[in-house]
Amino acid sequence: MSLVRTEAFVLKAIRFGDTSVIYRLFTRDYGVVPVMARGVRRPKSRFGGIIEPFRRLQVTYYSRDNRDIQTLSGVELVTAYPAIVESLERMDAAGRWFRFLRAVLPDHAPAVAMFDLVPVALERLCRTPATRASRWETFHRLAAVAQLGVTPELAACVACGRPVAGSQAPSFSVVDGGVVCPQCRRDRTGCRSLSSAEYALLNLYHHPDYGLLEQLDDTANGDAKVRELVREFVRYHADLRSGAA
Ligand SMILES: [Zn+2]
């Protein structure tokens, strides 16, 4: 048995018995780790009020190789993101994104790059207007699966490899994972046409700089359609477990 100390976010909480909770933690150093917090629902618990969703935590737990659930021994708050829980829309978006992370995270393997995305994403959500929370969530679904190597091809036709930027707006094939030029589109089914505005928007969802998407106003043309396209792409190409709509 060893005592482990690492940063973590709560992915899920399941009540256990009268006073305990099993937390599914996303830890920085060990990936997803379920821990038992004994007595956490007692009024005077030393964990109470600290271990909550959408908080960056420092946790210590006793780890045994032959156990599925480890035993939580301590928890400290690193960062709270109060602007998230002050808004229903932001909290809802964060909840959906965390369910999504739970569905894509590998079991028993560290995912450090994805972990490091979480505090960055939550800080951005705090300054995102409530009306754009869904845009925030879609952008960060794509950013999360990019850490697993799942990215759409937007610069060159997935069929012939010719560059598409600057030419006529291409189509997008969810199944093929990228854009299709007008010539190749003729003999493919299931391609979605994109206007130039929608193609530009799709590039913003894929761009490493979230600031570009943040500058767009609420009425950007085709935003709902592009969001749906991104979500379909992610659903199709990431290895999703159940629970991520
Ligand atoms: Zn082509």
Side-chain angles (χ1 to χ4, degrees):
M1 188 166 72
S2 58
L3 189 62
V4 173
R5 187 173 165 82
T6 179
E7 288 199 1
F9 288 91
V10 171
L11 291 173
K12 191 178 186 180
I14 305 156
R15 288 174 172 227
F16 186 85
D18 290 336
T19 60
S20 300
V21 174
I22 296 168
Y23 292 99
R24 208 167 165 76
L25 298 179
F26 179 15
T27 70
R28 185 168 197 277
D29 300 322
Y30 303 93
V32 178
V33 178
V35 297
M36 169 80 79
R38 290 187 204 288
V40 67
R41 284 152 56 213
R42 287 203 185 102
K44 287 185 179 168
S45 162
R46 64 187 191 280
F47 309 133
I50 300 172
I51 185 159
E52 297 285 344
F54 320 131
R55 285 181 165 190
R56 187 176 188 166
L57 305 167
Q58 179 87 49
V59 297
T60 44
Y61 61 88
Y62 292 101
S63 177
R64 281 188 194 187
D65 288 345
N66 58 350
R67 286 247 179 104
D68 288 337
I69 300 172
Q70 310 302 342
T71 305
L72 189 69
S73 113
V75 56
E76 295 153 44
L77 178 65
V78 178
T79 315
Y81 303 89
I84 295 177
V85 287
E86 283 162 8
S87 145
L88 263 181
E89 288 85 355
R90 286 195 205 104
M91 207 158 73
D92 189 41
R96 277 183 280 128
W97 191 58
F98 269 62
R99 280 198 295 282
F100 174 77
L101 291 183
R102 221 163 71 206
V104 291
L105 276 169
D107 275 333
H108 314 299
V112 176
M114 217 198 281
F115 182 93
D116 289 341
L117 175 66
V118 179
V120 174
L122 294 182
E123 269 160 37
R124 288 170 177 165
L125 181 57
C126 288
R127 60 169 199 255
T128 296
T131 50
R132 299 182 196 174
S134 178
R135 188 185 280 176
W136 169 88
E137 200 232 329
T138 306
F139 178 93
H140 290 92
R141 279 192 187 212
L142 203 53
V145 295
Q147 310 299 337
L148 303 172
V150 176
T151 55
E153 172 57 63
L154 298 182
C157 171
V158 288
C160 69
R162 269 189 289 243
V164 296
S167 64
Q168 198 186 342
S171 305
F172 188 85
S173 163
V174 168
V175 175
D176 295 312
V179 288
V180 178
C181 74
Q183 286 84 353
C184 295
R185 176 176 184 159
R186 287 190 210 121
D187 37 60
R188 296 182 106 72
T189 52
C191 293
R192 315 287 168 75
S193 303
L194 296 173
S195 67
S196 336
E198 287 160 355
Y199 177 55
L201 203 48
L202 189 54
N203 275 283
L204 290 188
Y205 275 99
H206 182 46
H207 200 281
D209 183 359
Y210 178 64
L212 299 175
L213 190 63
E214 262 184 318
Q215 286 163 20
L216 277 192
D217 62 30
D218 288 357
T219 56
N221 252 341
D223 194 17
K225 173 181 165 183
V226 171
R227 277 206 308 270
E228 185 48 38
L229 210 54
V230 169
R231 294 163 82 92
E232 274 184 51
F233 166 83
V234 169
R235 266 199 298 268
Y236 190 88
H237 292 279
D239 189 16
L240 294 185
R241 281 182 286 267
S242 59

